[in-house]
Amino acid sequence: MDFIKSKGDYRQLIVFKKAECIYDLTFHFAHRFLSRSDRTIDQMVQAARSGKQNIIEGSSASLTSRETEIKLFNVAKASLEELLADYEDYLRNRGLSFWPDDKQRAVRDYCRRNNDSAFYRQIAPQRDAETIANLCITLIHQEIFLLLRLIEKAKEDFLIHGGIREEMTRARIAYRNGRES
């Protein structure tokens, strides 16, 4: 009776890959475009890291606690929403442009197809602050959408299968019924 089912490797999830892209771009951005004494460096990098790390923790916790899985995915989402506000503040406070809708649409398609952090690490040194900030804003919007879908899926799994205690009880009853035959 297998009541703890493996969900696969989190590294294969698009939501994780995109979070890694956001982290790598944010690390580059913060250290290149913000003053060394600016506390925002640590805050932005930690928010990006939290988004990525909570996906890892939520995926790992999903084996035994759907409640913890949902909570951690929501923490990841909240961290990325904080990071989104930092990028928006950066652009607004420096008089830089938010990309218009037509450019955002093209970039959304571009970001949807590119989920490899090495790709973004390679292009980042040739891009200016405005471009990287807008690129991160686009990636974060996509990531929040994916996290919301992941949270909904975890909630659905809970409604269908219950929690670990219910699964353990079903496995125990099935085991007992099999032994009594």
Side-chain angles (χ1 to χ4, degrees), residues 105-155:
R105 247 187 314 283
V107 172
R108 274 195 303 267
D109 291 339
Y110 179 81
C111 290
R112 193 175 298 121
R113 290 188 311 271
N114 294 294
N115 296 309
D116 180 11
S117 63
F119 171 79
Y120 292 101
R121 287 191 313 272
Q122 182 180 3
I123 67 167
Q126 295 86 35
R127 302 305 190 274
D128 61 14
E130 183 178 294
T131 300
I132 294 175
N134 276 288
L135 187 58
C136 283
I137 287 169
T138 302
L139 286 165
I140 293 167
H141 280 296
Q142 288 179 344
E143 182 70 356
I144 289 169
F145 173 80
L146 291 171
L147 281 165
L148 286 169
R149 286 183 45 200
L150 201 59
I151 291 166
E152 287 304 313
K153 176 72 171 113
K155 287 168 35 179

Side-chain angles (χ1 to χ4, degrees), residues 1 4 13-14 39-40 52 77 92 107 109 129 138 140:
M1 303 289 144
I4 299 180
L13 298 173
I14 292 173
R39 286 188 37 200
T40 309
K52 181 174 73 73
K77 184 176 111 15
R92 187 182 61 258
V107 172
D109 291 339
T138 302
I140 293 167

Side-chain angles (χ1 to χ4, degrees), residues 2-179:
D2 188 16
F3 53 84
I4 299 180
K5 296 174 181 68
S6 175
K7 291 195 173 188
D9 183 5
Y10 67 85
R11 289 178 191 90
Q12 301 308 311
L13 298 173
I14 292 173
V15 72
F16 172 77
K17 291 177 181 182
K18 197 165 289 294
E20 190 173 61
C21 295
I22 293 165
Y23 173 79
D24 289 353
L25 274 173
T26 298
F27 188 89
H28 173 85
F29 177 90
H31 288 94
R32 181 173 165 204
F33 297 112
L34 298 174
S35 168
R36 291 189 195 277
S37 62
D38 192 339
R39 286 188 37 200
T40 309
I41 292 173
D42 289 337
Q43 291 170 330
M44 289 180 76
V45 171
Q46 288 308 312
R49 182 183 183 281
S50 176
K52 181 174 73 73
Q53 296 304 109
N54 278 292
I55 291 168
I56 295 169
E57 286 187 65
S59 295
S60 297
S62 70
L63 296 176
T64 56
S65 175
R66 287 196 177 88
E67 178 185 358
T68 302
E69 172 189 27
I70 291 166
K71 284 180 180 178
L72 290 168
F73 289 158
N74 203 45
V75 170
K77 184 176 111 15
S79 294
L80 292 166
E81 287 173 347
E82 176 187 346
L83 181 61
L84 176 63
D86 284 333
Y87 277 114
E88 290 170 344
D89 291 346
Y90 181 90
L91 291 174
R92 187 182 61 258
N93 289 324
R94 287 162 179 81
L96 300 173
S97 297
F98 290 87
W99 283 340
D101 288 343
D102 59 334
K103 184 153 186 168
Q104 282 181 12
R105 247 187 314 283
V107 172
R108 274 195 303 267
D109 291 339
Y110 179 81
C111 290
R112 193 175 298 121
R113 290 188 311 271
N114 294 294
N115 296 309
D116 180 11
S117 63
F119 171 79
Y120 292 101
R121 287 191 313 272
Q122 182 180 3
I123 67 167
Q126 295 86 35
R127 302 305 190 274
D128 61 14
E130 183 178 294
T131 300
I132 294 175
N134 276 288
L135 187 58
C136 283
I137 287 169
T138 302
L139 286 165
I140 293 167
H141 280 296
Q142 288 179 344
E143 182 70 356
I144 289 169
F145 173 80
L146 291 171
L147 281 165
L148 286 169
R149 286 183 45 200
L150 201 59
I151 291 166
E152 287 304 313
K153 176 72 171 113
K155 287 168 35 179
E156 181 182 319
D157 284 350
F158 176 76
L159 291 174
I160 293 169
H161 302 290
I164 186 71
R165 287 190 182 126
E166 291 170 289
E167 290 185 26
M168 291 170 72
T169 299
R170 280 193 296 274
R172 180 73 177 136
I173 290 169
Y175 175 78
R176 282 184 181 165
N177 289 342
R179 290 190 42 128

